[in-house]
Every structure is written in structure tokens, then in C-alpha cells.
């Protein structure tokens, strides 16, 4: 059964009166603060990409992984005859939800509270970190287990906890690999996608206590099953000891106050049920109005992300149940720039993202440069539009340009986010915010003047044709050309314009005929 | 039919033979071709690079130049995609609603070459002769924005003498992306390298496409490699006949793989 857009309540039009964002004007809402969290890189994309492109192992690992998952996804998506309707339903649901986000969030708060949970509102990363740290401190525990969560990575929660003397143990296998390897995640769904199994084996042998010390068995083949077993042994003891768990949420249902996490390994289920205290940190855009809406997303998500028909574990919980599962539940609702994104009528669709990672797996730029080049915890096409919006474009100015606009991300996105259009929109925001003219803006403005005045344009074309004299008719222009031509001719020959343009030849041959 | 040809700024200035071939092909099929003289650019490069305000007068010029045309054809999937998807949007954002309506009306009469031939004229066999081994790169904007589908392949399959070979990884981007090729030159080159390897693996003499810009990119790389494989626009192949081969065949030696 599929929900179609027609099933959606018709009164939920985008930008309904009374909604908190108001159309086209930027309201000066706060973006994510500097100095905390992981939304900004310290280098520009082209600069970081240059190093990644030189890493042959990385490119081989990535190329292999993304090709495999692309194929899997394509196969399971093709199985559903109503995929296009599902996708349209997902997109429509998200648009409708965003139009009344304030009301749904208040409903969620009421429902969570009614079921014995506590809701905290965090304006930004610093506030969210402080809330969570204080909640953990109140339990007296100095360690927590974590379900993989993008939101807590975004705000740098592990570092904040560490600064307060609290150890956070990641329990998702890929997150664990990244954490033990003292590395950073490079993919939304498969944070260790840049590592192959030989590299993973090395990390485990180096860091897992069970392989250390006298007489320890160091016989660990790099077979996926054996690696998973080693991680399981390592984690089991932590699950049983843990008194506090921290999770993210894939969805929150406003009408019932239900939180949902979907995962593949069962580690999430362990974290969500064993500890006494559960703290969930969730971006405010993650909610859906009704329980029924989940049916659409629980079909779209697994097929788009892991290429599975259904994800192995779907855990949902609402508040607390005496004698069963965590007895203390806190929900931290995180803004950290999201309201600012909501205020932008073109860019707000980035908030529709269900973090399936399909756009990363099809992106030719991501495939070659890897996730670290994007600087932010959100890499790939979605990161290229989300990160600059959360931080303000000036803090991630190279990201909107980190795309050839090939459109593969839009085609594959299960909620139909038009990433290329948002990229182009953000480029314009960046250009329009520049106060001083740059060499590029001067050139583009001059070109625009020529291209809107036919006589000037013919002169400009004539000048381009004259350029052939400089290259003495050779097909290759000299390598010493100034930027930007030099960036082109490093790996490509530049064609030499012929002496006469098509339109002028045509006019000459056809006389006055237009 | 009277067809207005939009050459595009790149084709007009750098590869005029592509526009000549388009005109010759349409005339051979019995249509009258006009080339509005005020034409310059569709505005795509400005919009895509972030100069959307500057694109407004460029689009306005385009609308002026083609105002009277009943059907407009262009040998560029990417520019036609921009006409369909960007022009009205840019004008509306600038508050030019009357012009935006005009842009929408004009877009509805604007066709990419293969779409015009197959959908409007209803021909797939244009009577061409091209005795070469050819592989086809679909180009991202033709493929995903315009959804030209297999129309170019239908046209190529009907060309006499032509041996069509499938391009591995055909749907992946060649790495051009307009100013992307300059702003992210290293990543662009990495993408181009893989595209060229796929082209060369087909042992084709010619790689063709419906976009001059992507072909300039791929062709520039192949030329740097001294690979012998060259790029030729789809319009040039379709314009070739037994009596009138396109110039590149007489000026360049055929390559034996
Ligand atoms: S933007 Fe779309 S494809 Fe990319 S991760 Fe989000 S939902 Fe998935």
C-alpha cells in the first residue's frame, strides 16, 4: 500500500499562513556557530580534493564500494512498480510537514511529555552539547554508548563529552572503525567506506583490548565475518555495562510522540533497550506528522540506502514504559541553522533529506574525492547544499561549486530534492554577497554585457577568433596561458576558434535574409 | 517547415561546422532554415556559475532574437535544457514576470536536434552515410534534464556504414560542467580520464554526442593523449552523405584501431 500525494491533507500547502518562515526574505535567523561541531572544513574543496585524488587506494576503495551499492539499489528500486508515486508521496509529505513545522514540533513535545519523556530545545551545537553533557553528568555515569547519529557528529558531541570527562563509545560497526582509527567519517551511511578490510583489520589489531597483551590471540583474518565477530566481542561488554545511551533519530512521529531508528546491525536495538537513560538528539526537520506517514519513508529509505527491501532493525519508542527499557528518556530538538535553511524558499528542500546516501553513491565527484574533501560531516551532493546553508554560504563557499551539475543526485533522490537547482541558487547567493568585484565577476559581467548586445557580441566573437593568431593556428594553446585557461590546458587541448563564426558566414552567404 | 536555428554561443564561435551541419541536415530534409542574427547565448553559463542577475539581459536578448520563430532547433542538449529549465526561473526571480511568460512560451517551441528530428519531424533515418566505428556519449543534460532517451541512438542506428559500439559507463559525467572544469580542474580531469579510458576501450574512431561543450572537453583530452580517436558532433554525422562528407573526414586521416 502506498500513500499518494492525493491522500495528503489538502490544507497543508507549503507556506501556510502562520508558518514561521515567511517567504522570500531572509530573516537573519542564526546559522550554526563557529568553533563547535563539524560543519566546516579547514580547507577549500578543490584543495582538499587534490590530495584525495592522489590517493589511489582511496579511489579504488570508493569506486568499488559505490559501484556495488549503486547496482544493488537500482535492482531493488526497479522491483517496485510504484516507485515514482512513492517518491512523489515522500516529497509531498516533506513539503507539507515543513510548511507547518512549528505546529508539528509543538505536538511532538506534548506527546513525548505525555508519555513520560522530557523535551529540550537546543538553538545550536553549543547548547545541545551542554544539555546532553549535563544530562549524562546527572546520572553519575562517565561513559555512554552511542547509536550512529549524524546530528551528534554535526555538533561534535563526542568531543564535548570528552572535555567533560565522559567517554562515548560508538557501537555502529563503521562508526567504531572510524573512532578506533582516530579518523573522521566519510560517508553518511558507511562512515568507513574509504577503508578496505585489510586496513580495518590493522585498526582492530592495533586498538581492541582483546588483541593486546601477553598471550592474546592475534590471529584475525581480514574476512568480513571475522571482523564483525571481533567487533561484536568488543561491543558486547560495553552494551551490558552501559547505563546511558545516546541516539539520533531517523523519524519522529508528531501525533504519537514516537521516535524511530532504523539500522542493520542490531547495535542500535541494544543501545535503545538496555541502558537506564536514553538521550536522543534530533534535528528539528526529522519529524513526520502521523504514524501512517512512516509507511512511505520506511519503503523509500532502505531501498535507497543499503539497497535492501527492508532494513533489518526498525526500533520505535515513545516516552518510557515502567519496567521495560530505559526509564528516563530525553529528546533534544536541535536547530543549529535549520530555521535559517527553512527561511530560504529554494534551499529549504535540503531539509527534506532522509539521509539515505543514494546521492553520494551516484555522484561522480564524491566517487573520486571521497567524503573528507567536503570538510563537513555531510559530504557528497546533499552536503554540498546542506552544509553551506547551515553555516551560511560564506563559511563553506567552495561547496556549492563542488559539482559538475550532472544531475545524477536529483534522479536518484528518494524524496526528489532538486540538488542541482539548489547548488546553482547557492552559487548565486555567494556571488551576490560578494562586496568587491573579483577577476571572475568582472569577466562575467563584461561577457553578459556583450551577450545582451548583438553588435558588441559580434565584436567579442571577432576578438576570440583573433585569438587564433596568438596561437599561430596550432591546435594547442600554449600552457603558459593565464588562469582560467591554464587550468583547462593542464590536461586538455583548447580548440582554436576559426576565422569566421557561423552566424557571420551565414549572413554573408544568405545576404539580408535573417 | 520554417525552422530557426539557435547555434549557441560556443558552437557559433568555436565549432561553426556543427551549426553548418545542422542547417544542411534540416535543409536536406526539405525545411527552410533561418538564422536570427541577433542571437548570442542562452544564459546558462552565467546562471550555473552564480551570475543569475547578469543572466537576465542575456535571456532577454535571446527572447528578442527568437521572438518571431515558430520552431527553434539547437544542436545542444545543455542549452536547450537551460532554455526549458532556467530562463523563466531566472526572470521570475528578477521580477520580470511578463518576460518569464514569454520565455515559457518560447521554450515550448524550442527543441534539441534529436528530439526535433524524432518527435516533431517523425524521422529516424535521415539518409546519412558515415562509414566509421562510432560510440555515443549521452551527456548529462541531454540525458537527465531533457530526457532525450535513445533518440540519438535511433538516429545513429539508421546511418548507413556506421558501426555503433556501446560506451561502457556511458551515463557517467565526463567532468566538464562548464566552469567546474576550471574551478575544480583536478576533479574534472579525474572524471575525464575515466571517460576517455571508456571511450578508448571501445576502439571507436569517433566519439559523438549532442553537446558541443562536452565534446570539446572529451576531444581536448583525447587530443592531448594523441589518441587518434576524435570527437564529432551528432549533427555532423547526420549531415554526412555519400556525396557530401563533412569536412573533418577529408582533413583528418581515418584511424585504424
Ligand atoms: S539528498 Fe536525497 S539522495 Fe541524498 S541522502 Fe538525502 S534523501 Fe538521500
Amino acid at each position: 500500500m502506498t500513500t499518494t500525494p492525493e491522500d495528503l491533507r489538502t490544507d497543508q500547502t507549503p507556506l501556510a499562513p502562520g508558518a514561521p518562515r515567511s517567504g522570500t526574505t531572509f530573516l537573519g535567523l542564526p546559522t550554526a556557530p563557529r568553533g563547535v561541531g563539524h560543519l566546516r572544513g579547514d580547507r577549500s574543496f578543490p584543495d582538499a580534493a587534490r590530495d584525495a585524488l592522489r590517493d589511489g587506494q582511496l579511489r579504488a576503495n570508493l569506486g568499488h564500494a559505490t559501484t556495488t551499492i549503486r547496482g544493488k539499489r537500482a535492482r531493488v528500486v526497479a522491483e517496485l512498480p510504484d516507485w515514482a508515486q512513492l517518491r512523489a508521496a515522500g516529497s509531498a509529505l516533506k513539503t507539507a510537514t515543513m510548511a507547518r513545522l512549528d505546529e508539528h514540533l509543538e505536538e511532538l513535545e506534548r506527546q513525548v511529555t505525555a508519555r513520560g519523556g522530557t523535551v529540550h530545545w537546543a538553538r545550536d551545537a553549543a547548547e545541545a552539547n551542554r544539555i546532553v553533557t549535563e544530562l549524562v553528568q546527572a546520572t553519575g555515569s562517565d561513559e555512554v554508548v552511542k547509536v550512529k547519529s549524524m546530528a551528534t557528529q554535526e555538533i561534535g558531541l563526542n568531543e564535548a563529552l570528552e572535555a567533560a570527562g565522559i567517554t562515548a563509545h560508538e557501537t555502529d560497526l563503521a562508526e567504531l572503525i572510524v573512532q578506533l582509527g582516530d579518523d573522521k567519517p566519510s560517508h553518511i551511511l558507511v562512515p568507513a567506506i574509504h577503508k578496505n578490510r585489510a586496513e580495518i583489520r590493522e585498526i582492530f589489531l592495533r586498538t581492541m583490548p582483546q588483541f593486546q597483551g601477553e598471550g592474546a590471540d592475534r590471529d584475525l583474518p581480514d574476512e568480513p565475518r571475522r571482523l564483525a565477530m571481533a567487533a561484536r566481542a568488543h561491543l558486547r561488554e560495553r552494551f551490558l555495562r552501559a547505563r546511558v545511551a545516546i541516539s539520533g533519530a531517523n523519524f519522529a512521529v508528531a501525533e504519537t510522540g514516537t521516535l524511530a531508528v532504523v539500522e542493520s546491525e542490531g547495535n542500535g536495538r541494544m543501545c535503545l533497550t538496555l541502558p537506564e537513560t536514553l538521550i536522543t538528539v534530533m534535528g528539528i526537520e526529522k519529524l513526520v506528522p502521523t504514524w501512517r506517514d512512516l509507511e512511505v519513508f520506511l519503503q523509500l529509505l532502505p531501498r535507497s540506502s543499503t539497497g535492501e527491501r527492508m532494513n533489518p532493525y526498525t526500533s520505535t519508542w515513545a516516552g518510557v514504559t515502567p519496567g521495560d527499557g530505559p526509564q528516563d528518556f530525553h529528546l533534544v530538538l536541535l536547530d543549529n541553522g535549520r530555521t535559517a535553511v527553512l527561511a530560504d524558499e529554494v534551499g529549504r528542500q535540503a531539509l527534506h533529506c532522509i539521509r539515505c546516501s543514494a546521492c553520494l553513491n551516484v555522484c561522480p565527484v564524491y566517487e573520486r574525492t571521497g567524503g573528507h574533501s567536503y570538510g563537513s560531516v555531510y559530504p557528497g551532493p546533499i552536503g554540498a547544499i546542506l552544509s553551506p546553508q547551515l553555516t551560511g554560504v560564506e563559511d563553506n563557499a567552495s561547496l556549492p561549486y563542488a559539482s559538475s551539475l550532472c544531475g545524477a543526485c536529483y534522479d536518484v533522490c528518494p524524496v526528489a530534492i532538486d540538488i542541482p537547482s539548489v547548488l546553482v541558487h547557492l552559487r548565486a547567493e555567494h556571488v551576490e554577497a560578494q562586496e568587491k568585484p573579483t577577476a571572475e565577476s568582472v569577466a562575467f559581467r563584461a561577457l553578459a554585457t556583450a551577450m545582451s548586445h548583438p553588435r558588441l557580441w559580434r565584436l567579442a566573437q571577432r576578438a576570440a577568433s583573433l585569438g587564433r593568431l596568438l596561437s599561430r593556428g596550432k591546435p594547442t594553446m600554449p600552457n603558459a596561458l593565464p588562469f582560467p585557461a591554464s587550468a583547462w590546458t593542464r590536461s586538455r587541448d583548447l580548440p582554436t576558434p576559426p576565422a569566421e563564426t557561423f552566424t557571420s558566414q551565414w549572413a554573408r552567404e544568405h545576404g539580408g535574409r535573417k | 517547415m520554417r525552422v530557426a536555428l539557435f547555434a549557441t554561443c560556443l558552437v557559433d564561435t568555436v565549432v561553426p561546422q556543427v551549426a553548418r551541419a545542422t542547417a544542411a541536415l534540416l535543409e536536406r530534409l526539405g525545411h527552410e532554415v533561418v538564422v536570427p542574427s541577433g542571437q548570442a547565448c542562452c544564459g546558462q553559463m552565467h546562471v550555473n556559475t552564480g551570475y543569475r542577475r547578469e543572466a537576465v539581459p542575456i535571456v532577454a536578448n535571446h527572447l528578442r532574437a527568437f521572438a518571431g520563430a515558430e520552431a527553434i532547433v539547437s544542436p545542444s542538449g545543455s542549452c536547450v535544457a537551460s532554455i526549458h529549465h532556467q530562463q523563466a526561473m531566472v526572470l521570475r526571480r528578477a521580477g520580470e514576470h511578463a518576460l518569464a511568460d514569454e520565455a515559457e512560451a518560447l521554450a515550448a517551441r524550442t527543441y534539441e536536434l534529436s528530439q526535433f528530428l524524432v518527435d516533431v519531424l517523425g524521422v529516424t533515418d535521415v539518409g546519412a552515410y558515415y562509414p566509421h566505428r562510432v560510440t555515443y556519449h549521452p551527456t548529462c543534460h541531454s540525458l537527465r534534464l531533457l530526457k532525450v532517451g535513445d533518440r540519438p541512438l535511433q538516429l545513429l542506428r539508421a546511418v548507413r556504414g556506421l558501426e555503433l559500439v556501446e560506451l561502457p559507463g556511458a551515463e557517467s559525467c565526463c567532468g566538464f560542467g562548464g566552469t567546474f572544469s576550471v574551478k575544480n580542474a583536478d576533479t574534472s580531469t579525474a572524471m575525464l580520464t575515466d571517460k576517455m579510458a571508456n571511450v578508448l576501450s571501445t576502439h571507436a574512431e569517433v566519439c559523438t554526442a549532442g553537446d558541443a561543450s562536452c565534446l570539446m572537453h572529451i576531444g581536448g583530452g583525447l587530443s592531448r593523449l594523441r589518441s587518434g580517436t576524435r570527437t564529432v558532433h551528432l549533427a555532423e554525422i547526420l549531415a554526412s552523405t555519400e556525396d557530401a562528407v563533412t569536412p573533418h573526414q577529408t582533413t583528418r586521416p581515418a584511424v585504424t584501431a
Side-chain angles (χ1 to χ4, degrees):
Chain A
M1 256 286 293
T2 297
T3 302
T4 65
E6 286 72 37
D7 293 339
L8 302 173
R9 286 173 297 276
T10 46
D11 59 349
Q12 291 205 348
T13 50
L15 287 178
R21 64 271 108 218
S22 67
T24 54
T25 36
F26 177 64
L27 304 174
L29 294 160
T31 47
R34 293 185 184 150
V36 55
H38 301 288
L39 285 172
R40 297 166 175 85
D42 40 20
R43 303 160 76 190
S44 75
F45 182 84
D47 199 20
R50 198 169 306 122
D51 288 348
L53 288 162
R54 281 199 207 105
D55 185 342
Q57 183 67 62
L58 172 79
R59 273 173 77 182
N61 294 354
L62 274 171
H64 176 72
T66 55
T67 309
T68 310
I69 194 160
R70 271 203 300 270
K72 247 176 110 185
R73 180 209 157 267
R75 275 195 301 282
V76 299
V77 162
E79 285 174 359
L80 289 189
D82 61 348
W83 183 257
Q85 288 103 301
L86 265 175
R87 185 175 184 250
S91 168
L93 273 168
K94 282 293 183 183
T95 307
T97 307
M98 292 304 151
R100 291 175 171 235
L101 191 57
D102 52 346
E103 291 167 35
H104 296 311
L105 283 168
E106 283 167 12
E107 173 73 2
L108 179 71
E109 179 178 34
R110 272 195 299 279
Q111 297 300 333
V112 169
T113 311
R115 286 163 179 74
T118 311
V119 175
H120 310 259
W121 298 78
R123 169 182 290 250
D124 61 29
E127 220 169 272
N129 286 336
R130 184 173 48 70
I131 293 167
V132 176
T133 306
E134 285 172 8
L135 287 170
V136 178
Q137 281 167 338
T139 67
S141 181
D142 63 357
E143 61 174 0
V144 299
V145 286
K146 284 186 71 203
V147 193
K148 176 179 173 295
S149 144
M150 296 301 297
T152 61
Q153 278 170 26
E154 171 187 326
I155 61 178
L157 179 64
N158 288 10
E159 291 84 342
L161 290 173
E162 200 185 317
I166 300 162
T167 312
H169 303 290
E170 294 292 348
T171 67
D172 171 84
L173 178 54
E175 275 295 331
L176 178 70
I177 294 164
V178 168
Q179 189 177 42
L180 294 177
D182 210 6
D183 198 354
K184 281 182 177 168
S186 71
H187 188 277
I188 293 179
L189 197 79
V190 200
I193 195 167
H194 56 292
K195 296 283 183 207
N196 63 27
R197 49 192 160 126
E199 293 167 309
I200 293 166
R201 173 181 177 271
E202 282 304 310
I203 293 172
F204 281 10
L205 283 177
R206 204 174 60 234
T207 56
M208 283 185 174
Q210 74 237 51
F211 300 114
Q212 314 298 323
E214 284 290 298
D217 182 10
R218 292 183 60 84
D219 170 34
L220 177 68
D222 66 2
E223 207 186 295
R225 200 179 66 92
R226 291 290 300 277
L227 293 172
M229 278 166 61
R232 186 185 160 97
H234 175 85
L235 289 172
R236 178 63 44 141
E237 174 271 315
R238 293 193 154 75
F239 287 133
L240 295 175
R241 198 172 68 205
R243 285 166 44 218
V244 184
I246 296 175
S247 87
N250 290 94
F251 305 101
V253 181
E255 70 170 357
T256 56
T258 309
L259 282 299
V261 161
V262 298
E263 39 121 12
S264 302
E265 296 162 13
N267 63 301
R269 177 71 54 87
M270 301 283 259
C271 293
L272 296 166
T273 51
L274 287 175
E276 294 150 23
T277 301
L278 173 60
I279 305 166
T280 298
V281 182
M282 181 191 106
I284 53 170
E285 81 283 16
K286 290 258 154 179
L287 93 182
V288 293
T290 72
W291 180 261
R292 202 190 151 189
D293 301 331
L294 282 183
E295 98 175 285
V296 173
F297 296 110
L298 291 181
Q299 293 179 78
L300 288 172
L301 182 56
R303 287 184 197 253
S304 301
S305 59
T306 46
E308 290 166 305
R309 295 182 180 91
M310 196 181 169
N311 53 284
Y313 293 87
T314 303
S315 304
T316 67
W317 68 100
V320 293
T321 308
D324 183 15
Q327 295 300 296
D328 196 12
F329 170 60
H330 296 269
L331 174 62
V332 181
L333 293 172
L334 174 73
D335 186 325
N336 209 34
R338 284 165 177 74
T339 340
V341 182
L342 204 51
D344 185 309
E345 62 172 337
V346 179
R348 73 167 65 118
Q349 53 184 312
L351 297 178
H352 298 185
C353 175
I354 57 173
R355 309 278 188 268
C356 72
S357 75
C359 58
L360 277 65
N361 299 330
V362 297
C363 177
V365 174
Y366 176 86
E367 183 178 341
R368 288 166 182 89
T369 62
H372 294 159
S373 302
Y374 294 79
S376 156
V377 294
Y378 300 111
I382 182 61
I385 61 170
L386 188 59
S387 308
Q389 292 198 86
L390 290 173
T391 61
V393 175
E394 67 279 9
D395 278 15
N396 264 312
S398 65
L399 290 186
Y401 299 93
S403 165
S404 64
L405 304 178
C406 80
C409 50
Y410 182 21
D411 262 20
V412 85
C413 176
V415 289
I417 300 173
D418 185 353
I419 296 177
S421 291
V422 180
L423 286 166
V424 164
H425 170 71
L426 294 176
R427 292 176 186 185
E429 302 273 287
H430 171 58
V431 164
E432 284 158 24
Q434 280 167 351
E435 276 157 19
K436 290 197 201 110
T438 61
E440 182 195 275
S441 71
V442 169
F444 268 85
R445 281 172 190 139
L447 195 57
T449 308
M451 285 173 161
S452 43
H453 296 89
R455 282 190 45 216
L456 284 180
W457 175 236
R458 279 198 296 278
L459 283 172
Q461 285 180 304
R462 186 94 194 98
S465 297
L466 285 174
R468 72 200 292 270
L469 293 178
L470 297 174
S471 67
R472 299 199 182 82
K474 276 181 291 180
T476 309
M477 300 277 266
N479 275 323
L481 281 174
F483 186 84
S486 59
W488 175 278
T489 52
R490 238 184 291 141
S491 57
R492 292 149 287 213
D493 289 340
L494 202 59
T496 314
E500 190 174 26
T501 64
F502 165 72
T503 42
S504 100
Q505 190 197 16
W506 183 274
R508 193 165 45 73
E509 288 170 0
H510 293 75
R513 197 176 121 205
K514 275 190 85 180
Chain B
M1 196 187 285
R2 192 178 152 100
V3 185
L5 175 60
F6 173 42
T8 83
C9 61
L10 180 81
V11 166
D12 188 25
T13 317
V14 182
V15 279
Q17 69 272 22
V18 173
R20 271 201 295 278
T22 310
L25 170 65
L26 292 168
E27 284 179 341
R28 192 176 80 219
L29 294 171
H31 302 280
E32 185 196 343
V33 175
V34 291
V35 179
S37 61
Q39 62 174 284
C41 173
C42 64
Q44 176 185 202
M45 188 174 62
H46 280 76
V47 178
N48 284 358
T49 314
Y51 295 86
R52 99 185 130 193
R53 279 186 201 154
E54 289 74 6
V56 170
I58 303 177
V59 175
N61 179 69
H62 181 83
L63 298 178
R64 258 193 317 272
F66 288 92
E70 336 159 22
I72 302 139
V73 173
S74 182
S76 167
S78 172
C79 304
V80 174
S82 175
I83 289 166
H84 282 251
H85 298 283
Q86 293 184 327
Q87 288 195 339
M89 185 189 81
V90 159
L91 294 169
R92 284 210 198 284
R93 191 169 173 98
E96 301 278 1
H97 294 286
L99 272 184
D101 292 346
E102 240 182 83
E104 270 159 21
L106 197 76
R109 310 197 298 273
T110 305
Y111 304 88
E112 179 273 338
L113 179 62
S114 75
Q115 289 184 318
F116 185 71
L117 294 171
V118 177
D119 299 352
V120 181
L121 301 183
V123 286
T124 46
D125 185 349
V126 296
Y129 170 76
Y130 195 80
H132 297 279
R133 190 176 163 93
V134 175
T135 194
Y136 170 72
H137 168 58
T139 80
C140 302
H141 290 177
S142 292
L143 181 74
R144 302 199 181 87
L145 272 172
L146 272 190
K147 312 249 181 266
V148 300
D150 70 343
R151 290 175 188 83
L153 292 170
Q154 292 178 36
L155 292 159
L156 286 168
R157 279 192 209 106
V159 174
R160 270 165 285 287
L162 187 145
E163 185 194 351
L164 187 63
V165 278
E166 200 183 316
L167 178 63
E171 299 196 351
S172 53
C173 178
C174 71
F176 174 59
T179 41
F180 173 78
S181 62
V182 172
K183 286 181 189 266
N184 283 282
D186 300 287
T187 309
S188 169
T189 298
M191 290 158 72
L192 174 63
T193 304
D194 293 345
K195 181 57 71 181
M196 289 194 296
N198 282 326
V199 170
L200 295 177
S201 79
T202 66
H203 298 290
E205 297 159 57
V206 165
C207 173
T208 191
D211 275 280
S213 50
C214 308
L215 288 178
M216 185 174 84
H217 179 69
I218 300 170
L222 290 171
S223 156
R224 177 64 54 91
L225 289 183
R226 307 282 177 261
S227 71
T229 300
R230 60 191 191 277
T231 52
V232 175
H233 194 282
L234 179 68
E236 294 177 84
I237 293 179
L238 299 180
S240 302
T241 59
E242 249 158 302
D243 326 317
V245 283
T246 50
H248 60 86
Q249 289 168 54
T250 53
T251 54
R252 294 200 197 176
V255 179
T256 42

